[in-house]
Amino acid sequence: YRGTSRRLDPYGVVLRFGHWYVVGRDRDHDAPRAFRVDRFDDDPVIGPGAAFDPPDTVDPGAFVRDPLTYGSDQPIEARVLVDVARAALVVDDLGHESVAERRDDGSVVVTMPVVNRVAFRTWVLELLEHAEVLGPPELRDEFVAWLQAVISPRTERV
């Protein structure tokens, strides 16, 4: 996966925003992980059947639904404007309780706790031009600065 071999006890395969993920326990890090299938470098190697028992209480969908809250930092409450083209998809994914505002044009403002800012950036970027980070100001400023760094010309170092 992206140049690194991974050993995973898979709990399931989940579709989110048009991408398939295999989710489970990463055996090398002893931690929950979700891996996007289209980012595999090679075909997976399947281990022996019945090599582990997935926990009964695990919801595989939670691995890709809640990555924003992984980590130990204090959560920050993000506000994101989602246009009508993706509003229903996002509300279905986050739940109706995440809707802070419904606008006349069909767009919604959703709120969500964010601990993992890299996962948050990925979540917003998957929505492409259909989402805008509204706040809080420090989260928006951080996101804009990251985008500017990505698109600014790189100077070659010697």
Side-chain angles (χ1 to χ4, degrees):
Y1 185 80
R2 291 185 161 185
T4 303
S5 293
R6 304 293 183 119
R7 296 183 313 142
L8 185 74
D9 291 337
Y11 298 159
V13 177
V14 180
L15 177 67
R16 180 160 193 253
F17 293 127
H19 299 285
W20 288 100
Y21 294 83
V22 61
V23 299
R25 183 181 69 85
D26 183 323
R27 295 176 70 194
D28 297 312
H29 295 97
D30 192 26
R33 294 285 192 264
F35 298 103
R36 220 168 94 176
V37 173
D38 64 325
R39 292 183 179 156
F40 286 13
D41 294 329
D42 263 322
D43 292 334
V45 176
I46 308 299
F52 70 97
D53 291 318
D56 294 331
T57 59
V58 169
D59 170 13
F63 282 70
V64 293
R65 195 167 38 249
D66 302 328
L68 306 180
T69 59
Y70 289 167
S72 57
D73 292 338
Q74 289 298 313
I76 186 168
E77 190 76 7
R79 291 177 47 85
V80 179
L81 173 63
V82 181
D83 73 15
V84 66
R86 295 290 187 272
L89 181 68
V90 168
V91 172
D92 283 347
D93 188 48
L94 296 178
H96 291 280
E97 64 279 0
S98 69
V99 178
E101 179 185 347
R102 290 188 182 276
R103 297 193 173 173
D104 292 339
D105 64 357
S107 62
V108 294
V109 175
V110 294
T111 62
M112 68 196 76
V114 173
V115 173
N116 184 332
R117 294 181 186 207
V118 172
F120 175 71
R121 282 197 311 247
T122 300
W123 182 84
V124 173
L125 289 175
E126 285 180 347
L127 294 169
L128 302 171
E129 73 275 8
H130 304 289
E132 177 185 354
V133 178
L134 300 177
E138 65 268 20
L139 186 62
R140 179 183 168 86
D141 292 347
E142 179 183 303
F143 190 80
V144 169
W146 179 82
L147 286 172
Q148 289 171 335
V150 167
I151 63 170
S152 68
R154 306 234 183 232
T155 57
E156 190 171 322
R157 295 182 187 179
V158 233

